[in-house]
Amino acid sequence: MKILVTGGAGYIGSHTSAELLQAGYDLVVIDNFSNSAPSALRGIKTITNRDFSFYQGDVTDQSMLDEIFQAHHIDGVIHFAGFKAVGESVQEPLKYYHNNILSTLVLCKTMARYGCKSIVFSSSATVYGNPSRLPITEDFPLSATNPYGSSKLMIENILGDLFISDQTWRIALLRYFNPVGAHKSGLIGENPKGIPNNLMPYIVKAAKGELPQLNVFGDDYETRDGTGIRDYIHVVDLSIGHIKALEKLALGSGIFTYNLGTGKGTSVLEMITAFEKSTGQKVPYRVGKRRPGDIAACYADPGKAERELGWKAELDLEAMCRDAWYFSVKSDQI
Ligand code: WQD
């Protein structure tokens, strides 16, 4: 089976590409390096000792997609390519809608034209907005609080309408909670350009002294220690969830939605403690104001993925912290 991975040099894309190769799939990657680097491709090859086809380009580029689908018989697509910074999406909504929506439309139309109707889509728990209760199951109400989240919700609806129009499609919508960590080799991981938006890469840079301190965004939430609670999931567990979703789609047509989380909530202060304990590194921090748009708590009920995909997150918080730190240290050595 040959799988096209869009955004395959990115954080989750590179880890999923490595899992695909190790599971025996053949791989084609397209990436424009807007939020990734060629080093990830080298890391995938070193980890797996396997080669694959790579196209540097944009998923909105019809001619490049035609080139790929004419050169390869693509059995399925995992679609990661998209912008994903919540704050940036508020500042630049048109950039987000154009990139995230148009790339999906061009991709799906091209897939249909070449008879490929199996797609795993990288969605996000952000489509649940501010949940009224926890844990979250897949039938919870959906809403968006920013253009990034709206683009994810729109794409889920587009894929839903596509399935209604042609029920031979095989579609998996994977709603990620908070991906963190890195491959244990230290060869691929999260390497955001500039100042990180997300907690774990910020903790790592603060521990390394690259940033003066972590700003804890509020300690007055209605949570056990006042800081925000999230469902952090190791990126390798998340990647394996994609392999399981592909196996599900190989069984037959349909549209399937799954939460990929651990089912456990961790607060910001608990994450700081876990990081210090598992890495031996101090995390300088101060408590500041809430970040606009943040919610108090969010964590998954991952039972449906466990029942229907035979998938369950295995790696714990210590592994997430240890692997994130090791990747950061190893990146400095390369
Ligand atoms: C986690 C917790 C913050 C940074 C977003 C997107 C989601 C997904 C993951 C793309 C919160 C606190 C954070 C910091 C802090 N992205 N925090 N100081 O906001 O849950 O989710 O990223 O797929 O779709 O919505 O993740 O890592 O930004 O924040 O105190 O410098 O850490 O308040 O409680 P978030 P996050």
Side-chain angles (χ1 to χ4, degrees):
M1 293 266 280
K2 183 173 282 188
I3 304 297
L4 169 63
V5 177
T6 74
Y11 175 40
I12 304 164
S14 57
H15 286 84
T16 303
S17 294
E19 293 300 330
L20 282 167
L21 290 171
Q22 287 180 317
Y25 290 88
D26 292 321
L27 177 68
V28 178
V29 170
I30 179 172
D31 201 300
N32 65 6
F33 293 137
S34 61
N35 193 25
S36 57
S39 56
L41 303 174
R42 293 193 294 273
I44 295 166
K45 289 176 185 170
T46 305
I47 289 166
T48 63
N49 195 28
R50 288 194 64 197
D51 204 353
F52 54 91
S53 302
F54 173 69
Y55 294 79
Q56 182 173 346
D58 204 297
V59 181
T60 60
D61 179 348
Q62 181 66 66
S63 60
M64 175 151 289
L65 289 190
D66 281 327
E67 182 185 344
I68 291 171
F69 278 85
Q70 284 164 13
H72 302 275
H73 177 80
I74 303 293
D75 296 292
V77 176
I78 303 181
H79 181 33
F80 292 104
F83 296 146
K84 65 165 194 170
V86 170
E88 185 187 43
S89 80
V90 174
Q91 305 304 319
E92 300 186 75
L94 297 183
K95 171 183 172 183
Y96 269 67
Y97 290 128
H98 180 271
N99 184 64
N100 293 5
I101 307 296
L102 183 60
S103 60
T104 305
L105 295 176
V106 174
L107 174 66
C108 289
K109 285 192 283 187
T110 307
M111 289 174 66
R113 196 145 32 83
Y114 290 92
C116 174
K117 296 184 180 179
S118 178
I119 183 169
V120 177
F121 173 59
S122 165
S123 191
S124 168
T126 202
V127 301
Y128 293 116
N130 191 357
S132 57
R133 57 191 167 81
L134 294 167
I136 298 172
T137 51
E138 288 81 354
D139 58 348
F140 265 36
L142 304 179
S143 66
T145 57
N146 57 72
Y148 159 73
S150 293
S151 74
K152 290 295 186 184
L153 197 44
M154 287 176 190
I155 293 167
E156 287 200 7
N157 292 334
I158 288 166
L159 293 173
D161 289 341
L162 177 59
F163 179 72
I164 291 167
S165 74
D166 174 354
Q167 303 202 4
T168 64
W169 276 83
R170 304 164 184 222
I171 300 171
L173 308 175
L174 304 184
R175 293 172 180 165
Y176 308 159
F177 282 69
N178 288 63
V180 295
H183 190 272
K184 62 180 184 297
S185 66
L187 293 171
I188 52 178
E190 187 172 21
N191 213 352
K193 296 176 177 168
I195 306 276
N197 297 301
N198 298 133
L199 180 64
M200 182 61 91
Y202 208 111
I203 283 179
V204 168
K205 285 187 183 279
K208 285 174 78 174
E210 290 177 6
L211 290 168
Q213 65 193 357
L214 167 73
N215 299 302
V216 175
F217 294 149
D219 65 350
D220 57 351
Y221 285 101
E222 294 289 309
T223 62
R224 50 184 176 266
D225 64 15
T227 63
I229 287 178
R230 297 293 184 273
D231 183 335
Y232 298 96
I233 177 171
H234 197 294
V235 64
V236 171
D237 276 328
L238 187 64
S239 302
I240 292 166
H242 290 72
I243 311 303
K244 296 289 189 183
L246 276 179
E247 292 169 0
K248 170 78 174 176
L249 297 186
L251 300 176
S253 60
I255 183 164
F256 312 95
T257 304
Y258 299 104
N259 288 338
L260 295 190
T262 64
K264 300 184 190 77
T266 302
S267 78
V268 178
L269 293 180
E270 289 165 350
M271 180 63 92
I272 291 170
T273 302
F275 187 89
E276 292 182 336
K277 185 164 175 280
S278 57
T279 64
Q281 303 298 318
K282 200 86 185 93
V283 179
Y285 73 89
R286 71 174 189 82
V287 177
K289 293 205 305 291
R290 293 182 177 192
R291 178 172 62 179
D294 270 0
I295 60 177
C298 174
Y299 53 90
D301 174 340
K304 187 182 177 196
E306 190 172 341
R307 290 189 300 276
E308 296 187 12
L309 301 182
W311 172 88
K312 188 173 175 13
E314 305 291 342
L315 297 164
D316 62 12
L317 214 52
E318 184 191 351
M320 295 178 210
C321 295
R322 184 193 61 227
D323 295 341
W325 176 249
Y326 181 56
F327 169 71
S328 169
V329 169
K330 197 157 169 88
S331 301
D332 292 345
Q333 294 164 358
I334 295 176

